[in-house]
Amino acid sequence: MFCLIPGDEPTYRIMEDGAWPEDLPYATIHRMASAGQVRGIGQFCIDWCLRQGLPVRADTHADNVYMQRALEKSGFVRCGRIYTEDGSPRWAYYHKAATQKASPAGDVVRAADG
């Protein structure tokens, strides 16, 4: 299970030891979890998020090596450290997913549109 939520994530406004590479509208991956019974399900979910037409941000605990590897394997870059509402530190990641493509008529459309 996971959530992909488009729009501003308040805990991402302040970052230590880095910065977001750009300030475009984005979606955030939240609460990714699995029962561990299906191999590759985390990667499947990340890939789905990247096909939705927006840059994607995510964060994870420093000790969640599985999530860090999955994000980095998918082309995410570590940008710095953010803190959740309860003050817990998290590594922050960013992926500039394909946000535009040309339509058959030559118009630019969002990747999710077409």
Side-chain angles (χ1 to χ4, degrees), residues 2-61:
F2 69 96
C3 295
L4 180 67
I5 302 175
D8 185 52
E9 167 55 50
T11 61
Y12 289 176
R13 293 180 188 154
I14 298 173
M15 183 183 295
E16 290 182 351
D17 302 324
W20 297 112
E22 54 194 6
D23 190 25
L24 296 172
Y26 63 91
T28 304
I29 298 173
H30 285 286
R31 305 288 185 210
M32 185 172 289
S34 164
Q37 297 174 338
V38 177
R39 187 169 171 82
I41 195 71
Q43 195 65 55
F44 176 85
C45 295
I46 291 170
D47 292 345
W48 182 89
C49 292
L50 295 176
R51 291 192 306 269
Q52 302 312 304
L54 286 171
V56 179
R57 296 181 183 185
D59 63 84
T60 189
H61 294 274

